[in-house]
Amino acid sequence: MAKTLTVLGLESSCDDTAAAIVRLAPDQSPQILAQVVRGQTQLHADFGGVVPEIAARAHAEKLDICVADVLRSSGLNLGDMDAVAVTAGPGLIGGVISGVMCAKGLSAGAGLPLIGVNHLAGHALTPRLTDQAAYPYLMLLVSGGHCQFLRVDSAQSFTRLGGTIDDAPGEAFDKTARLLGLPQPGGPAVEVEARAGDPTRFAFPRPLLDRPGCDMSFSGLKTALLRTRDAVMAEAGGLTRADRADLCAGFQAAVRDVLAEKTRRALADNPDLQLIAVAGGVAANTAIRDALMQVASAADAQFLAPPLALCTDNAAMIAYAGAELFQLGQRDDLTLTARPRWPLDSTSPAMLGSGRKGAKA
Ligand code: KG4
Ligand code: ZN
């Protein structure tokens, strides 16, 4: 019988510095003993995006503090850990290196096994951390940097069924907000505006629905929004509140329809999958969630959306993935390297679906 595992996890692949301690009981039930996420939004606010050098430096400064925080709040010591798990990619390389170096130091200093975790595997295994989802299941990862369908068969077996061939939906939401003078991050702002809007007033494209498979494209939608906005402004001399709401509603409906239809296909092509789970910031969108729920129910599948704090970047998912990988025998050592690119499914076309922003997973 498996023994209880207690794993310290570190995450620093983009602009959140995070640490967590997760315990996996012999019956495989997981428990988050402590977790902390220190965001860097303020540090990057003046630059309109994440500045890799600033991010890396902040991670290097904050990782130790985060580790001390979770040890203190769990009442445990490093010696109580069975392993240290760390995001070893994909992500902004400076940040990933900060995390890997910190984990190597802890591992060497305390004599703990080191486990390098793919950040995307962390997201993909979250339904097991939150709901003990049974393998296999379908995962839709929709964030500011990623958009892909994964068939998850084990902690080491992922099949990419499709993904965006250009931008991620979160990027498109953020760009839409920028074009309409709404605050960042754009997704929540666009969603609020869309509530008062008419999704049928403007005809936005549903890219790639005419093509088979689960690949998606969102960059044309951004261009369509820009053109439509300019046309309205040219005609009326400006944008009214109602125009803005209608543009948001039309755009959101287009993203929703594409995600829903491609999810329907992913489930139809994989009839043995009885669960679809989502992760990533865009999964917070109620209209998108509702549409996915309907698709799942029509396919007799269960729909699972973990709590938002565990859908976005965090270290509990890294600690949890580390625990499963530990059970499967994975051990890394001081030769573990930080990888800016690291597709989960090595058989799929290289990095399609990463989104142009790429680094943020
Ligand atoms: O997963 P996440 O926090 O960070 C990564 O990209 O890894 O996702 C952030 C993205 C942003 O692009 C944000 O605009 C989008 O998720 N987002 C939303 C909503 N909340 C956050 N998009 C649509 N609707 C929302 N309610
Ligand atoms: Zn992520």
Side-chain angles (χ1 to χ4, degrees), residues 240-259:
T240 64
R241 185 90 209 259
D243 292 335
R244 204 156 68 170
D246 293 345
L247 285 165
C248 286
F251 165 82
Q252 180 176 274
V255 176
R256 177 202 63 199
D257 288 354
V258 171
L259 289 173

Side-chain angles (χ1 to χ4, degrees), residues 138-213:
L138 178 68
M139 181 79 210
L140 170 59
L141 194 55
V142 265
S143 69
H146 276 263
C147 180
Q148 53 185 307
F149 288 103
L150 290 167
R151 182 192 160 97
V152 185
D153 282 285
S154 86
Q156 288 174 320
S157 171
F158 305 92
T159 311
R160 193 176 168 289
L161 303 174
T164 182
I165 58 166
D166 40 52
D167 296 342
E171 275 177 278
F173 268 100
D174 293 342
K175 181 80 188 290
T176 295
R178 242 174 260 128
L179 291 173
L180 299 177
L182 296 168
Q184 295 293 314
V190 170
E191 180 174 9
V192 169
E193 287 292 315
R195 276 191 209 130
D198 171 6
T200 59
R201 177 169 156 208
F202 302 110
F204 285 108
R206 269 59 174 165
L208 299 194
L209 281 198
D210 52 341
R211 284 213 225 142

Side-chain angles (χ1 to χ4, degrees), residues 284-350:
N285 186 289
T286 315
I288 293 174
R289 256 182 207 226
D290 288 349
L292 295 177
M293 229 180 278
Q294 278 177 23
V295 168
S297 130
D300 276 332
Q302 196 195 332
F303 175 78
L304 179 62
L308 198 59
L310 292 171
C311 272
T312 55
D313 288 353
N314 67 87
M317 67 181 190
I318 302 303
Y320 176 79
E324 279 211 32
L325 292 169
F326 183 93
Q327 285 181 329
L328 292 171
Q330 182 181 324
R331 302 289 183 273
D332 291 296
D333 56 26
L334 297 183
T335 62
L336 176 69
T337 46
R339 300 173 62 173
R341 306 237 161 227
W342 185 2
L344 259 187
D345 176 354
S346 53
T347 63
S348 75

